Amino acid sequence: PRPFLAFDKDNHATFRPMAAQDRTLPADRPNVIWGRLDAVINGEVQTQDERFRQPRTAMGINADGTRLFLMVVDGRQPRTSNGFTRAEVGEFLKAFGATDGMLCDEGGSSCIYLQQFGGIANVPSDFNGEERATYTHFGVSLRKAPKVD
């Protein structure tokens, strides 16, 4: 029972926490990404199963599913970053406006690539800050938001 974000054709997202009774993937939401653990549910930061600090990759959405929050936290680098706990991820996402969010990964594969910053924008914990090969990726293409009257 893992949490997930499901996106409709217009990229509006809905969140299903780990404890959701209905685990059916919505037919009108063809794009789904699975997480590992809940970080924040309906504005409540999740603290159970608290573990030590880790590098983290997390995602969250606002209440109406129109904003996606992406987060990567470095860790295992005592001189620069110790990482976040599960609760700290939830607090951070919530501080930026997320009402629901999930941990996606922890460890050396936590990495974010931003083209406008010239590539990898964090310092992964493995291989002296080098990117680790992984079997899953999540990509976002930004476009101009429509004007609001």
Side-chain angles (χ1 to χ4, degrees), residues 19-76:
Q21 295 296 320
D22 182 6
R23 305 300 299 166
T24 307
L25 297 177
D28 66 335
R29 297 184 181 268
N31 297 307
V32 177
I33 188 157
W34 297 92
R36 184 177 297 241
L37 296 169
D38 300 320
V40 60
I41 302 172
N42 294 323
E44 294 293 322
V45 173
Q46 304 301 295
T47 60
Q48 63 274 32
D49 302 322
E50 191 66 28
R51 299 194 321 192
F52 46 88
R53 297 176 187 282
Q54 291 284 351
R56 305 284 185 173
T57 302
M59 295 181 178
I61 58 171
N62 64 346
D64 64 4
T66 58
R67 290 190 182 258
L68 174 67
F69 302 91
L70 303 175
M71 181 176 98
V72 171
V73 176
D74 290 337
R76 297 183 190 153

Side-chain angles (χ1 to χ4, degrees), residues 70-74 77 110-124 129-131:
L70 303 175
M71 181 176 98
V72 171
V73 176
D74 290 337
Q77 301 170 51
S110 289
C111 183
I112 190 163
Y113 178 95
L114 299 170
Q115 185 175 0
Q116 67 268 36
F117 291 106
I120 296 173
N122 71 310
V123 182
E130 295 293 319
E131 179 182 17

Side-chain angles (χ1 to χ4, degrees), residues 9-29:
K9 64 179 178 59
D10 296 318
N11 291 320
H12 290 99
T14 55
F15 177 73
R16 295 271 174 89
M18 294 166 51
Q21 295 296 320
D22 182 6
R23 305 300 299 166
T24 307
L25 297 177
D28 66 335
R29 297 184 181 268

Side-chain angles (χ1 to χ4, degrees), residues 102-114:
M102 61 188 185
L103 299 171
C104 297
D105 198 10
E106 57 187 32
S109 61
S110 289
C111 183
I112 190 163
Y113 178 95
L114 299 170

Side-chain angles (χ1 to χ4, degrees), residues 116-142:
Q116 67 268 36
F117 291 106
I120 296 173
N122 71 310
V123 182
S125 65
D126 287 356
F127 310 118
N128 297 315
E130 295 293 319
E131 179 182 17
R132 183 196 322 169
T134 61
Y135 59 89
T136 59
H137 298 81
F138 179 76
V140 176
S141 176
L142 300 178

